[in-house]
Amino acid sequence: MAKLSFPEGFIWGSATSALQIEGATAEDGRGPSVWDEFCRSHPEKIYEGASPEPACGHYRRWREDVALIRELGHNGYRLSISWPRLFPGGSARLNEPGAAFYDRLFDALLAAGIEPNVTLYHWDLPQELGEKGGWENPDTPLRFADYASACFRRYGDRVKLWSTLNEPAWTALNGYVTGLHPPCRLRDYSGALRAAQGLLRGHALAGAACARELPGVKAGIVLNMSRIHPATPSADDAAAAALADGMINRWFSDGVIKGRFPEDIRNYYAKAGLLPEGLEETEALLRAAPLGFLGVNYYYPHYASADAKDTNFHLNISGRADEDCQFSVKGLFRFVKNPRGRFTRWGWEIDPEGLHDLLLRVHETSPGLPIYVTENGLGRVEELAGGIVDDQERIDFVREHLRSVHRAIAAGADVRGYYMWSLMDNFSWINGYKKRYGFLYVDRATLDRHKKQSALWFREAALANAI
Ligand code: BGP
């Protein structure tokens, strides 16, 4: 088959987040985040009671990691800054040793020819702000904007790609509806909408601060997006799919792209008495914040059925075949398994076509908006055998998704890069450490890194700018 070339300057990289790789959660003045506290107080909710300590020990091994990224031929790397490392407790006083860590990291990345794409918030809210109401507290977006401004001022001479938030929909949904993430609230729909509003205000204020502090630089945001199909051709399932799509995708994508929440979902929430106060003000803030790009995190599609007799949320965190994912909101929609689908061990459907469709949808909503695939990857159970990890399945996964990206570019979408999740096996939130995503295998006993076969394959693709 002829090679598919990507546009000049296309970014070939991988992604991580601070909490999932750094470790050193109490070093150099870092304060606790809501995830440190959640893992400490709710080990039963996390596979094998794992915690983000030591994660991958990246805080100490960053030099080696930068050298590895370079060896892997990447020209970009997506990472996040830890808010509680820079401003422990969410305070206004900068913790200099924490800030200096990222100085060293950015300098080393640039010296190695790797462009950083930096996310300011990848779920590690300072615990003290969590205790004061987290994203529901109207003060939190203001604190976030201050933290963001400090980062723009300190690192803006070196970092040109900034993302405000990672997956605000997941923070709101899992924090307040499914109860799977901190603050572990169950079925608190109005809390979820208040938190979503706080997150989007934080994004808007940080976006405006970026434009002010760094003329010519416009921050982006990273959204989790899924194609949501009706489970059957029935009108009821079509309506259920549209509703789920509006709540999970469009509330956030229309919010940040158009500065206007979708009318149908807004009416729906209004009727249910769930709309938070100040929505117009939030929209005005969003319209005043120039959006530099949209980061798309894509893993799987959903199939929605209107037959939702109860409310039930469950994620497969063990990777066992007898554990099913469930997501059902009584009377609204229930996600069902695609009978024709291919699935990972954790029950996530593999559907490269979905990525193509989402990229085109973003392009059609906002022609010309730069897009990055900020996460896409495959979680596996893996072992090191004779010094190698044979992950042909991951090579196939990434290749198929890159083909979709290529087709979306050919159809006009301005996709500028692809960051595979993840650079290395890491702390996979409530899945603990069994679910491995990396190009680099991390030995849990020694934390030593080993290149997987996929890393070598991707290196060739990156160097050729083609697959
Ligand atoms: C995204 C998160 C990442 C990452 C990925 C894989 O939602 O932004 O941080 O973890 O999902 O998910 P998981 O680790 O839960 O399998």
Side-chain angles (χ1 to χ4, degrees):
M1 201 189 280
K3 286 240 176 205
L4 302 175
S5 293
F6 284 72
E8 209 187 312
F10 189 79
I11 291 186
W12 297 81
S14 57
T16 60
S17 85
L19 189 96
Q20 293 178 275
I21 65 164
E22 286 181 0
T25 50
E27 266 172 59
D28 288 343
R30 179 189 182 276
S33 76
V34 291
W35 268 90
D36 300 285
E37 177 51 29
F38 170 58
C39 295
R40 203 187 56 73
S41 53
H42 286 292
E44 78 288 354
K45 293 202 179 214
I46 297 162
Y47 185 70
E48 289 180 336
S51 87
E53 190 64 72
C56 308
H58 170 73
Y59 192 73
R60 298 224 178 99
R61 301 177 78 136
W62 62 273
R63 265 192 207 87
E64 173 192 353
D65 291 335
V66 173
L68 281 164
I69 301 172
R70 183 184 194 171
E71 277 177 41
L72 297 186
H74 299 187
N75 56 355
Y77 172 52
R78 175 176 177 240
L79 70 147
S80 77
I81 294 179
S82 160
W83 185 354
R85 206 179 275 297
L86 259 58
F87 293 98
S91 69
R93 196 186 47 79
L94 181 75
N95 174 39
E96 183 53 37
F101 168 71
Y102 296 102
D103 278 327
R104 293 191 290 273
L105 183 58
F106 297 143
D107 287 345
L109 285 167
L110 292 174
I114 301 155
E115 165 142 47
N117 184 337
V118 176
T119 301
L120 289 162
Y121 181 71
H122 200 124
W123 305 354
D124 44 0
L125 184 70
Q127 167 64 14
E128 293 78 351
L129 296 187
E131 283 164 15
K132 290 183 193 148
W135 290 103
E136 282 185 281
N137 182 337
D139 192 44
T140 301
L142 305 175
R143 297 291 189 94
F144 177 66
D146 289 345
Y147 151 62
S149 296
C151 290
F152 299 142
R153 282 196 293 273
R154 177 137 185 161
Y155 309 118
D157 57 336
R158 286 155 288 170
V159 177
K160 305 297 171 195
L161 283 173
W162 291 98
S163 309
T164 54
L165 309 174
N166 180 69
E167 303 190 350
W170 247 204
T171 303
L173 208 75
N174 281 333
Y176 295 81
V177 177
T178 69
L180 294 169
H181 288 184
C184 304
R185 294 240 286 275
L186 200 56
R187 303 178 197 182
D188 179 358
Y189 302 103
S190 47
L193 281 167
R194 273 194 303 276
Q197 165 149 282
L199 284 153
L200 291 176
R201 282 189 179 196
H203 157 73
L205 294 171
C210 181
R212 249 191 343 264
E213 303 281 352
L214 305 174
V217 179
K218 290 192 268 180
I221 187 169
V222 172
L223 301 182
N224 52 294
M225 301 188 88
S226 288
R227 278 218 61 198
I228 304 184
H229 307 272
T232 72
S234 77
D236 284 354
D237 285 357
L243 188 64
D245 178 52
M247 291 174 167
I248 296 172
N249 293 321
R250 282 186 295 126
W251 190 257
F252 297 88
S253 57
D254 281 9
V256 299
I257 293 174
K258 301 179 181 170
R260 195 169 299 286
F261 294 108
E263 204 65 30
D264 54 337
I265 305 301
R266 191 190 177 117
N267 291 340
Y268 181 85
Y269 286 147
K271 261 193 225 138
L274 296 173
L275 271 192
E277 277 174 26
L279 217 59
E280 282 73 23
E281 199 188 318
T282 305
E283 289 181 325
L285 288 172
L286 287 165
R287 282 197 294 276
L291 186 66
F293 62 87
L294 193 76
V296 173
N297 285 359
Y298 173 72
Y299 289 90
Y300 46 73
H302 283 301
Y303 285 77
S305 158
D307 178 24
K309 295 199 179 54
D310 49 17
T311 296
N312 196 0
F313 307 109
H314 183 76
L315 258 188
N316 177 341
I317 63 166
S318 67
R320 283 199 323 262
D322 60 341
E323 212 190 334
D324 248 350
C325 295
Q326 287 161 25
F327 192 112
S328 172
V329 188
K330 190 175 176 182
L332 300 190
F333 56 84
R334 175 168 64 98
F335 291 145
V336 297
K337 239 177 154 169
N338 173 10
R340 292 169 302 281
R342 287 185 284 156
F343 294 87
T344 72
R345 283 179 65 147
W346 282 263
W348 290 16
E349 185 174 345
I350 300 173
D351 175 28
E353 192 61 27
L355 179 57
H356 166 265
D357 296 355
L358 284 171
L359 295 172
L360 278 193
R361 179 167 157 178
V362 174
H363 168 62
E364 278 152 21
T365 311
S366 182
L369 179 68
I371 309 169
Y372 292 89
V373 177
T374 33
E375 284 183 31
N376 173 237
L378 176 67
R380 299 180 76 228
V381 175
E382 293 175 321
E383 274 168 33
L384 193 63
I388 62 160
V389 175
D390 179 4
D391 58 347
Q392 183 61 41
E393 206 187 344
R394 180 172 291 109
I395 297 176
D396 295 342
F397 180 101
V398 174
R399 188 198 284 116
E400 287 180 46
H401 284 81
L402 278 165
R403 280 198 187 127
S404 278
V405 174
H406 192 271
R407 277 200 299 124
I409 294 173
D414 186 7
V415 188
R416 300 192 176 180
Y418 175 93
Y419 301 90
M420 208 283 286
W421 184 268
S422 173
L423 172 64
M424 60 184 106
D425 300 337
N426 58 45
F427 173 66
S428 176
W429 310 108
I430 56 177
N431 309 298
Y433 291 98
K434 181 177 173 187
K435 196 178 190 184
R436 292 174 177 268
Y437 277 99
F439 276 140
L440 300 172
Y441 177 91
V442 176
D443 182 321
R444 291 307 315 155
T446 61
L447 301 185
D448 287 346
R449 284 83 160 119
H450 303 267
K451 292 175 197 133
K452 300 182 192 173
Q453 293 296 309
S454 59
L456 307 179
W457 174 83
F458 194 81
R459 179 176 190 276
E460 294 308 308
L463 295 179
N465 198 28
I467 51 167

